[in-house]
mmCIF file of all heavy atoms in Angstrom:
data_model
loop_
_atom_site.group_PDB
_atom_site.id
_atom_site.type_symbol
_atom_site.label_atom_id
_atom_site.label_comp_id
_atom_site.label_asym_id
_atom_site.label_seq_id
_atom_site.Cartn_x
_atom_site.Cartn_y
_atom_site.Cartn_z
ATOM 1 N N LEU A 1005 174.711 118.068 116.346
ATOM 2 C CA LEU A 1005 173.508 118.763 115.810
ATOM 3 C C LEU A 1005 173.718 119.251 114.392
ATOM 4 O O LEU A 1005 172.850 119.114 113.538
ATOM 5 C CB LEU A 1005 173.152 119.916 116.744
ATOM 6 C CG LEU A 1005 172.687 119.509 118.155
ATOM 7 C CD1 LEU A 1005 172.353 120.779 118.970
ATOM 8 C CD2 LEU A 1005 171.411 118.613 118.054
ATOM 9 N N TRP A 1006 174.884 119.848 114.122
ATOM 10 C CA TRP A 1006 175.176 120.328 112.781
ATOM 11 C C TRP A 1006 175.211 119.151 111.797
ATOM 12 O O TRP A 1006 174.696 119.239 110.686
ATOM 13 C CB TRP A 1006 176.473 121.114 112.710
ATOM 14 C CG TRP A 1006 176.984 121.233 111.329
ATOM 15 C CD1 TRP A 1006 178.068 120.571 110.773
ATOM 16 C CD2 TRP A 1006 176.431 122.023 110.272
ATOM 17 N NE1 TRP A 1006 178.195 120.938 109.450
ATOM 18 C CE2 TRP A 1006 177.235 121.821 109.127
ATOM 19 C CE3 TRP A 1006 175.382 122.908 110.194
ATOM 20 C CZ2 TRP A 1006 176.998 122.440 107.890
ATOM 21 C CZ3 TRP A 1006 175.104 123.543 108.998
ATOM 22 C CH2 TRP A 1006 175.894 123.322 107.849
ATOM 23 N N GLY A 1007 175.909 118.083 112.177
ATOM 24 C CA GLY A 1007 175.976 116.924 111.305
ATOM 25 C C GLY A 1007 174.622 116.322 110.948
ATOM 26 O O GLY A 1007 174.398 115.976 109.798
ATOM 27 N N GLN A 1008 173.765 116.245 111.946
ATOM 28 C CA GLN A 1008 172.407 115.711 111.706
ATOM 29 C C GLN A 1008 171.603 116.701 110.780
ATOM 30 O O GLN A 1008 170.935 116.221 109.844
ATOM 31 C CB GLN A 1008 171.684 115.549 113.027
ATOM 32 C CG GLN A 1008 170.263 115.011 112.910
ATOM 33 C CD GLN A 1008 170.220 113.548 112.457
ATOM 34 O OE1 GLN A 1008 171.264 112.889 112.449
ATOM 35 N NE2 GLN A 1008 169.089 113.088 112.033
ATOM 36 N N LEU A 1009 171.699 117.993 111.060
ATOM 37 C CA LEU A 1009 170.997 118.944 110.253
ATOM 38 C C LEU A 1009 171.503 118.953 108.803
ATOM 39 O O LEU A 1009 170.675 118.952 107.857
ATOM 40 C CB LEU A 1009 171.140 120.326 110.853
ATOM 41 C CG LEU A 1009 170.452 121.484 110.084
ATOM 42 C CD1 LEU A 1009 168.971 121.294 109.998
ATOM 43 C CD2 LEU A 1009 170.791 122.825 110.725
ATOM 44 N N CYS A 1010 172.798 118.962 108.624
ATOM 45 C CA CYS A 1010 173.384 118.966 107.292
ATOM 46 C C CYS A 1010 172.975 117.709 106.528
ATOM 47 O O CYS A 1010 172.651 117.742 105.341
ATOM 48 C CB CYS A 1010 174.886 119.101 107.362
ATOM 49 S SG CYS A 1010 175.734 119.131 105.781
ATOM 50 N N ARG A 1011 173.024 116.570 107.180
ATOM 51 C CA ARG A 1011 172.656 115.308 106.516
ATOM 52 C C ARG A 1011 171.207 115.317 106.117
ATOM 53 O O ARG A 1011 170.855 114.930 104.979
ATOM 54 C CB ARG A 1011 172.892 114.184 107.519
ATOM 55 C CG ARG A 1011 172.476 112.788 106.965
ATOM 56 C CD ARG A 1011 172.773 111.698 107.967
ATOM 57 N NE ARG A 1011 172.308 110.408 107.481
ATOM 58 C CZ ARG A 1011 171.060 109.976 107.597
ATOM 59 N NH1 ARG A 1011 170.190 110.715 108.248
ATOM 60 N NH2 ARG A 1011 170.739 108.761 107.120
ATOM 61 N N GLU A 1012 170.284 115.791 106.956
ATOM 62 C CA GLU A 1012 168.869 115.767 106.613
ATOM 63 C C GLU A 1012 168.595 116.726 105.454
ATOM 64 O O GLU A 1012 167.781 116.370 104.547
ATOM 65 C CB GLU A 1012 168.041 116.198 107.828
ATOM 66 C CG GLU A 1012 168.044 115.169 108.953
ATOM 67 C CD GLU A 1012 167.363 113.853 108.582
ATOM 68 O OE1 GLU A 1012 166.513 113.901 107.678
ATOM 69 O OE2 GLU A 1012 167.715 112.836 109.169
ATOM 70 N N ILE A 1013 169.190 117.898 105.444
ATOM 71 C CA ILE A 1013 168.974 118.826 104.345
ATOM 72 C C ILE A 1013 169.521 118.312 103.011
ATOM 73 O O ILE A 1013 168.900 118.379 101.982
ATOM 74 C CB ILE A 1013 169.531 120.218 104.678
ATOM 75 C CG1 ILE A 1013 168.768 120.850 105.858
ATOM 76 C CG2 ILE A 1013 169.465 121.144 103.472
ATOM 77 C CD1 ILE A 1013 169.267 122.183 106.269
ATOM 78 N N LEU A 1014 170.721 117.732 103.081
ATOM 79 C CA LEU A 1014 171.330 117.199 101.833
ATOM 80 C C LEU A 1014 170.527 115.990 101.314
ATOM 81 O O LEU A 1014 170.404 115.791 100.103
ATOM 82 C CB LEU A 1014 172.753 116.793 102.096
ATOM 83 C CG LEU A 1014 173.738 118.003 102.305
ATOM 84 C CD1 LEU A 1014 175.176 117.504 102.539
ATOM 85 C CD2 LEU A 1014 173.704 118.975 101.113
ATOM 86 N N LEU A 1015 170.007 115.191 102.220
ATOM 87 C CA LEU A 1015 169.141 114.065 101.810
ATOM 88 C C LEU A 1015 167.914 114.583 101.141
ATOM 89 O O LEU A 1015 167.430 114.033 100.097
ATOM 90 C CB LEU A 1015 168.797 113.184 102.993
ATOM 91 C CG LEU A 1015 169.843 112.171 103.479
ATOM 92 C CD1 LEU A 1015 169.376 111.420 104.680
ATOM 93 C CD2 LEU A 1015 170.193 111.204 102.340
ATOM 94 N N LEU A 1016 167.288 115.635 101.701
ATOM 95 C CA LEU A 1016 166.103 116.199 101.097
ATOM 96 C C LEU A 1016 166.384 116.745 99.724
ATOM 97 O O LEU A 1016 165.629 116.500 98.773
ATOM 98 C CB LEU A 1016 165.588 117.340 102.035
ATOM 99 C CG LEU A 1016 164.443 118.199 101.479
ATOM 100 C CD1 LEU A 1016 163.190 117.356 101.368
ATOM 101 C CD2 LEU A 1016 164.182 119.393 102.405
ATOM 102 N N LEU A 1017 167.482 117.528 99.562
ATOM 103 C CA LEU A 1017 167.827 118.044 98.280
ATOM 104 C C LEU A 1017 168.192 116.939 97.272
ATOM 105 O O LEU A 1017 167.916 117.052 96.108
ATOM 106 C CB LEU A 1017 168.974 119.069 98.419
ATOM 107 C CG LEU A 1017 168.662 120.322 99.273
ATOM 108 C CD1 LEU A 1017 169.882 121.187 99.361
ATOM 109 C CD2 LEU A 1017 167.499 121.075 98.689
ATOM 110 N N GLY A 1018 168.872 115.926 97.816
ATOM 111 C CA GLY A 1018 169.275 114.821 96.907
ATOM 112 C C GLY A 1018 168.089 114.049 96.361
ATOM 113 O O GLY A 1018 168.086 113.688 95.173
ATOM 114 N N GLN A 1019 167.084 113.828 97.176
ATOM 115 C CA GLN A 1019 165.878 113.150 96.718
ATOM 116 C C GLN A 1019 165.169 113.951 95.630
ATOM 117 O O GLN A 1019 164.777 113.395 94.578
ATOM 118 C CB GLN A 1019 164.943 112.851 97.881
ATOM 119 C CG GLN A 1019 165.491 111.830 98.886
ATOM 120 C CD GLN A 1019 164.623 111.710 100.120
ATOM 121 O OE1 GLN A 1019 163.588 112.420 100.268
ATOM 122 N NE2 GLN A 1019 165.032 110.872 101.072
ATOM 123 N N ASP A 1020 165.043 115.225 95.884
ATOM 124 C CA ASP A 1020 164.361 116.039 94.882
ATOM 125 C C ASP A 1020 165.211 116.279 93.643
ATOM 126 O O ASP A 1020 164.691 116.452 92.510
ATOM 127 C CB ASP A 1020 163.967 117.429 95.494
ATOM 128 C CG ASP A 1020 162.901 117.262 96.597
ATOM 129 O OD1 ASP A 1020 162.274 116.194 96.624
ATOM 130 O OD2 ASP A 1020 162.821 118.175 97.415
ATOM 131 N N TYR A 1021 166.504 116.250 93.792
ATOM 132 C CA TYR A 1021 167.424 116.342 92.640
ATOM 133 C C TYR A 1021 167.285 115.087 91.742
ATOM 134 O O TYR A 1021 167.200 115.200 90.525
ATOM 135 C CB TYR A 1021 168.872 116.495 93.125
ATOM 136 C CG TYR A 1021 169.941 116.343 92.088
ATOM 137 C CD1 TYR A 1021 170.104 117.288 91.079
ATOM 138 C CD2 TYR A 1021 170.760 115.197 92.099
ATOM 139 C CE1 TYR A 1021 171.086 117.146 90.105
ATOM 140 C CE2 TYR A 1021 171.740 115.051 91.109
ATOM 141 C CZ TYR A 1021 171.911 116.025 90.136
ATOM 142 O OH TYR A 1021 172.868 115.839 89.169
ATOM 143 N N GLN A 1022 167.215 113.920 92.385
ATOM 144 C CA GLN A 1022 167.039 112.692 91.609
ATOM 145 C C GLN A 1022 165.651 112.681 90.939
ATOM 146 O O GLN A 1022 165.519 112.180 89.810
ATOM 147 C CB GLN A 1022 167.140 111.487 92.531
ATOM 148 C CG GLN A 1022 168.566 111.299 93.100
ATOM 149 C CD GLN A 1022 169.546 110.927 92.002
ATOM 150 O OE1 GLN A 1022 169.215 110.362 90.971
ATOM 151 N NE2 GLN A 1022 170.848 111.279 92.231
ATOM 152 N N LEU A 1023 164.638 113.214 91.601
ATOM 153 C CA LEU A 1023 163.304 113.274 90.988
ATOM 154 C C LEU A 1023 163.323 114.200 89.768
ATOM 155 O O LEU A 1023 162.655 113.898 88.783
ATOM 156 C CB LEU A 1023 162.288 113.808 92.044
ATOM 157 C CG LEU A 1023 160.859 113.910 91.572
ATOM 158 C CD1 LEU A 1023 160.291 112.539 91.220
ATOM 159 C CD2 LEU A 1023 159.973 114.582 92.619
ATOM 160 N N LEU A 1024 164.067 115.284 89.818
ATOM 161 C CA LEU A 1024 164.198 116.143 88.665
ATOM 162 C C LEU A 1024 164.901 115.465 87.511
ATOM 163 O O LEU A 1024 164.535 115.580 86.346
ATOM 164 C CB LEU A 1024 164.937 117.451 89.072
ATOM 165 C CG LEU A 1024 165.212 118.468 87.939
ATOM 166 C CD1 LEU A 1024 163.956 118.968 87.305
ATOM 167 C CD2 LEU A 1024 166.074 119.602 88.463
ATOM 168 N N LEU A 1025 165.976 114.725 87.816
ATOM 169 C CA LEU A 1025 166.678 113.973 86.785
ATOM 170 C C LEU A 1025 165.811 112.971 86.102
ATOM 171 O O LEU A 1025 165.920 112.695 84.893
ATOM 172 C CB LEU A 1025 167.917 113.317 87.351
ATOM 173 C CG LEU A 1025 169.035 114.243 87.833
ATOM 174 C CD1 LEU A 1025 170.192 113.413 88.367
ATOM 175 C CD2 LEU A 1025 169.498 115.221 86.786
ATOM 176 N N ARG A 1026 164.839 112.364 86.866
ATOM 177 C CA ARG A 1026 163.941 111.376 86.312
ATOM 178 C C ARG A 1026 162.732 112.018 85.646
ATOM 179 O O ARG A 1026 161.811 111.341 85.170
ATOM 180 C CB ARG A 1026 163.461 110.404 87.403
ATOM 181 C CG ARG A 1026 164.543 109.563 88.036
ATOM 182 C CD ARG A 1026 163.937 108.448 88.847
ATOM 183 N NE ARG A 1026 162.997 108.924 89.879
ATOM 184 C CZ ARG A 1026 163.332 109.217 91.101
ATOM 185 N NH1 ARG A 1026 164.591 109.068 91.515
ATOM 186 N NH2 ARG A 1026 162.477 109.673 91.988
ATOM 187 N N ARG A 1027 162.703 113.361 85.671
ATOM 188 C CA ARG A 1027 161.568 114.185 85.104
ATOM 189 C C ARG A 1027 160.221 113.782 85.762
ATOM 190 O O ARG A 1027 159.243 113.644 85.090
ATOM 191 C CB ARG A 1027 161.472 113.980 83.606
ATOM 192 C CG ARG A 1027 162.742 114.467 82.853
ATOM 193 C CD ARG A 1027 162.870 115.966 83.031
ATOM 194 N NE ARG A 1027 163.998 116.500 82.250
ATOM 195 C CZ ARG A 1027 165.211 116.801 82.743
ATOM 196 N NH1 ARG A 1027 165.458 116.580 84.007
ATOM 197 N NH2 ARG A 1027 166.149 117.291 81.975
ATOM 198 N N GLY A 1028 160.305 113.629 87.086
ATOM 199 C CA GLY A 1028 159.065 113.351 87.832
ATOM 200 C C GLY A 1028 158.615 111.916 87.856
ATOM 201 O O GLY A 1028 157.561 111.640 88.470
ATOM 202 N N ALA A 1029 159.337 111.033 87.272
ATOM 203 C CA ALA A 1029 158.933 109.633 87.210
ATOM 204 C C ALA A 1029 159.321 108.945 88.510
ATOM 205 O O ALA A 1029 160.167 109.421 89.292
ATOM 206 C CB ALA A 1029 159.631 108.918 86.042
#
Protein backbone atom coordinates (compact mmCIF):
# COMPACT_ATOMS: atom_id res chain seq x y z
CA LEU A 1 0.00 0.00 0.00
CA TRP A 2 2.79 2.44 0.83
CA GLY A 3 4.68 1.60 -2.37
CA GLN A 4 1.57 2.16 -4.48
CA LEU A 5 0.74 5.44 -2.71
CA CYS A 6 4.31 6.76 -2.95
CA ARG A 7 4.51 5.84 -6.62
CA GLU A 8 1.22 7.58 -7.50
CA ILE A 9 2.13 10.78 -5.65
CA LEU A 10 5.61 10.95 -7.16
CA LEU A 11 4.19 10.34 -10.63
CA LEU A 12 1.70 13.16 -10.07
CA LEU A 13 4.41 15.55 -8.91
CA GLY A 14 6.73 14.43 -11.69
CA GLN A 15 4.18 15.16 -14.40
CA ASP A 16 3.49 18.63 -13.06
CA TYR A 17 7.21 19.23 -12.58
CA GLN A 18 7.85 18.42 -16.23
CA LEU A 19 4.96 20.71 -17.22
CA LEU A 20 6.58 23.54 -15.27
CA LEU A 21 9.92 22.93 -16.99
CA ARG A 22 8.16 23.14 -20.36
CA ARG A 23 6.45 26.38 -19.19
CA GLY A 24 3.00 24.91 -19.74
CA ALA A 25 3.68 23.64 -23.26
